[in-house]
Amino acid sequence: MIKSLKIGDSYSFDKTVEAIDVEKFAEVSTDHNPVHLDEEYAKTTMFKKRIAHGMLGVSYISSILGTKFPGEGTIYLGQTVKFLAPVFLGDTLEVKAEIVELKEGRNDRATLRTTCTNQDGKMVIDGEASVILPKA
């Protein structure tokens, strides 16, 4: 697998964050913070309206690494993440993973820059993931 990859290779997709996504994520994560779920409460916060869970955006990154890129069977080892701006309901995110380092070895590894950028071109999530590459 490592022989078919190079620094700069990337994969991305777009995802519009809907209220139902946030509500389902609240259920499975058990994070029921009212800033995510209650419009009236959210109006009293610095955001002035509901925002998505930060980890919902990170889960979109996970969906790339586990199934699409660098390949099915990739093992996710770690993730650093910075939440740079809120994600509002209705925002469309470009979710991207880009290879920044490759390491050959018994278990070939890669480091990827992971980002989410909203429809206005503002980066809302920035981070770095480490993975073990699939064998084939």
Side-chain angles (χ1 to χ4, degrees), residues 1-2 73 75 77 102-111 130-135:
M1 163 63 73
I2 198 166
I75 303 298
L77 294 176
L102 292 165
K103 293 181 187 175
E104 280 191 80
R106 184 172 58 89
N107 290 312
D108 295 336
R109 296 175 186 248
T111 302
S130 56
V131 301
I132 296 176
L133 297 170
K135 294 292 183 197

Side-chain angles (χ1 to χ4, degrees), residues 14-31:
D14 292 341
K15 171 68 173 125
T16 300
V17 180
E18 304 291 345
I20 191 70
D21 301 323
V22 171
E23 291 155 10
K24 286 181 176 181
F25 191 82
E27 285 306 309
V28 299
S29 70
T30 70
D31 179 352

Side-chain angles (χ1 to χ4, degrees), residues 117-136:
T117 305
N118 71 15
Q119 67 280 351
D120 299 321
K122 183 174 184 79
M123 188 177 297
V124 297
I125 296 174
D126 189 16
E128 191 171 87
S130 56
V131 301
I132 296 176
L133 297 170
K135 294 292 183 197

